[in-house]
Amino acid sequence: MIRALKKAARKLKRALLRDEPTYYDMFQSKGERFFARLYLHQIRQTLRDQGWQPPKKLLDAGCQTGRLAIPLSQWGFKVTGVDTSDLALRRLRLHAAREAATVKTVRANLARWLPKQASSSYDAVLCTEVLYLRENWRELLAGLIRLLKPGGLGFISHRPRAYYVAEALGRKDTQAAQTVLSLREGKLWGSYYNWQTRQELEEIYRNAQMEILSIVPMGVLSWLAVNPDDLNESQQDLLFRAERDVSPKIQDSGRYLLVSFRRPPRGGA
């Protein structure tokens, strides 16, 4: 009864104030802002390597409350942020106003919004920590690439396979670890996920005719938590397979793999 009353009170507060105090705001989160620094560092490095200078039109697909969109606007980009959550976009606009940033916000489902946009309409596209949760991630990726102008830059993150192997072993969930090692997507712990290795991502982007500039792990030491001493013999065997097959290169580790790429200019690379 008490739980139901608290839930009703939260709903009423959200309806009256158009806000939710317990909402996970990635712009305000200390940890998420740390990870935003990692993304922004790599994005800035790629922009420098490519000789890019704002202003440029940039799409942040799945922008949440603006942890990346707002700094990119402050750098001089003309940023459009798209998200399904009205609450997130309201928070983004409040944060942007306080940070003297300008971000155009669009509330939309990407699967329905992307096909309605004109091809080659953005200089850069950004999509972080979104596609790994979507069963239609291939269609979304193709839609994002379609919006890039020739010569435009893309920054898209994916879950590495090693991440879910480590999580499964940390949970001592042998079946989940075997699923991750043998498949590329599926249900884990009641939710859908997909995951890739560096080599698989290289193939995906090559097949999309994109020029890969880099594939860089975002947050390696922040997720390593498997101690072989805590595993039984069977689980140690799985960990060995993971180390052998997944972890020879550090690029396959981390919370996410950020793919930075370029759509080749018309007439050649």
Side-chain angles (χ1 to χ4, degrees), residues 60-69 80-83 89 92 105-106 130:
D60 185 353
C63 59
Q64 220 251 4
T65 56
R67 65 171 181 161
L68 298 177
T80 296
V82 180
D83 204 278
L89 295 177
L92 187 158
T105 58
V106 178
V130 173

Side-chain angles (χ1 to χ4, degrees), residues 185-198:
E185 59 188 304
K187 287 286 186 72
L188 298 173
W189 312 296
S191 298
Y192 167 84
Y193 303 102
N194 62 75
W195 50 88
Q196 297 83 29
T197 65
R198 176 186 176 90

